[in-house]
Amino acid sequence: MCAAIENPAKCEVRAVIRFFTAKGYSAAAIHRELCAVYGPKVMSEGVVREWVRLFKSGRENVHDEKRSGRPSLVTDELFQTVDAKVRENRRFTMAEFVY
C-alpha cells in the first residue's frame, strides 16, 4: 500500500467525495477510500455523508461558503501608524506604543 497523503486541502478531499458520489459510491465506501489514501483521521464518516448529501442535492462547489464572522479590527490607518512606529524605532515595546 502507498504511503498516506498527509495534510490534504479540504477542497481536495471534497473533490474526491464529489467524484466518487458521481460514480455512485455509497458514503461508507467513499469513507473507506479516503481513509486508505489520506489516513484514518482525514474526515469522519458522518461528515462524508453530509458532503455526499450536498453533492446529490446539486451542490457543485467544493470550497467553503463565505460566512459572516468577526470583522477585522485592522484598518489601513492603524497599519500605517504601527508601520511608522516600527520604522522609527525597531526596539520599541507595546507598552511604549500609543497612537
Side-chain angles (χ1 to χ4, degrees):
M1 184 172 133
C2 297
I5 298 173
E6 293 186 24
N7 302 322
K10 289 180 181 180
C11 61
E12 176 184 351
V13 175
R14 293 173 190 162
V16 172
I17 294 170
R18 183 174 177 218
F19 173 79
F20 281 129
T21 300
K23 288 193 76 164
Y25 282 45
S26 69
I30 294 171
H31 185 256
R32 281 192 299 274
E33 293 288 336
L34 289 173
C35 289
V37 174
Y38 296 107
K41 295 183 179 181
V42 63
M43 186 180 283
S44 71
E45 189 172 339
V47 174
V48 172
R49 287 184 191 285
E50 178 65 20
W51 279 102
V52 167
R53 186 186 63 74
L54 290 170
F55 291 132
K56 282 184 176 180
S57 69
R59 180 175 174 141
E60 295 180 355
N61 191 356
V62 296
H63 298 285
D64 288 326
E65 299 285 329
K66 292 264 187 200
R67 58 184 183 172
S68 62
R70 188 174 190 171
S72 176
L73 299 176
V74 178
T75 62
D76 287 336
E77 179 186 343
L78 177 61
F79 178 81
Q80 290 172 357
T81 303
V82 171
D83 187 53
K85 290 283 188 181
V86 169
R87 290 180 189 279
E88 250 177 52
N89 176 13
R90 293 193 179 267
R91 296 178 184 239
F92 82 97
T93 64
M94 289 308 293
E96 297 170 341
F97 182 73
V98 178
Y99 73 98

